[in-house]
Every structure is written in structure tokens, then in C-alpha cells.
Amino acid sequence: MALNKKGSRRITVDGIEYRWRIRRKPSYMQGLCWTPLTYAVEAASGSQPGTTLIVTSGQAHPSNWVGAEAVPIRPTHVAASIREARGRGWEPTKAGSPFQLDRSAGFIAQQ
């Protein structure tokens, strides 16, 4: 699965360039703050798409419908997630299923 280049941002972590993207509109579950925000990361170089990293954050989507406070995802958060995923075995240049990284500890769903 390749990320859409439109709306993605570039980041360089440990000399490797990546693209990351947050879905513009929340999913139904994210809109109601039942599930946390997720974002996708992939290696920016290479002719073939590799494995996509899907990060589940511990924050609400900024465009949620219930007015829950949302802290923006910053490049430092993305870089830390990339380093953690690489440490857990994510290989961004090899083809395969998306690699899931759950960083949602402490997220409390809204009722």
C-alpha cells in the first residue's frame, strides 16, 4: 500500500527519508473519540512501495465531532514512532503487510 503523496509530509530519521500522513477526515470511530488517531508512515525512496507503518497514537483526532481536546502530532512524535518500529522489526523497504505500532496506552474513549 502506497501513501498518497498529496497531503503527506517528509521527515528524515537517522539518514533515511520517510513520508507520513494523517487522514484528513476522521473515521466514524475516531470522530466520536471511540478510537484514537492513527497515521501512516512509509519510506520515501525506492521505486517499489515497501511496508507501511500504521501508528495508533494515544490522542483524539483533531477533527473529532465531540469537541475533545486533541494535541497535534509533531514530527518528533513521528520520528520516535519510526525509531520504535524499526527497533521492533519494521523494515520499510521490504514488501509485506502493514506493520502496526500501538502507542495508545492511556487513551480513554469518550462516552
Side-chain angles (χ1 to χ4, degrees):
M1 177 176 104
L3 282 181
N4 191 355
K5 288 184 182 180
K6 185 176 181 178
S8 66
R9 297 182 64 185
R10 290 186 175 268
I11 186 170
T12 302
V13 178
D14 300 331
I16 302 171
E17 194 168 359
Y18 299 91
R19 280 196 322 246
W20 63 283
R21 187 173 192 276
I22 296 174
R23 182 178 171 168
R24 179 177 296 238
K25 293 182 181 179
S27 68
Y28 182 78
M29 301 288 277
Q30 291 172 345
L32 293 173
C33 292
W34 292 346
T35 59
L37 167 76
T38 59
Y39 58 93
V41 181
E42 73 176 7
S45 60
S47 59
Q48 296 284 338
T51 304
T52 303
L53 169 64
I54 306 296
V55 181
T56 303
S57 74
Q59 305 170 53
H61 194 286
S63 298
N64 68 72
W65 308 323
V66 296
E69 185 177 341
V71 179
I73 298 292
R74 302 200 184 279
T76 55
H77 298 122
V78 177
S81 297
I82 290 170
R83 287 186 182 105
E84 183 178 343
R86 294 297 305 258
R88 292 185 182 194
W90 176 49
E91 296 183 39
T93 56
K94 292 192 177 180
S97 300
F99 189 92
Q100 302 285 332
L101 179 64
D102 189 353
R103 301 186 88 193
S104 65
F107 179 78
I108 299 172
Q110 301 289 316
Q111 298 298 323

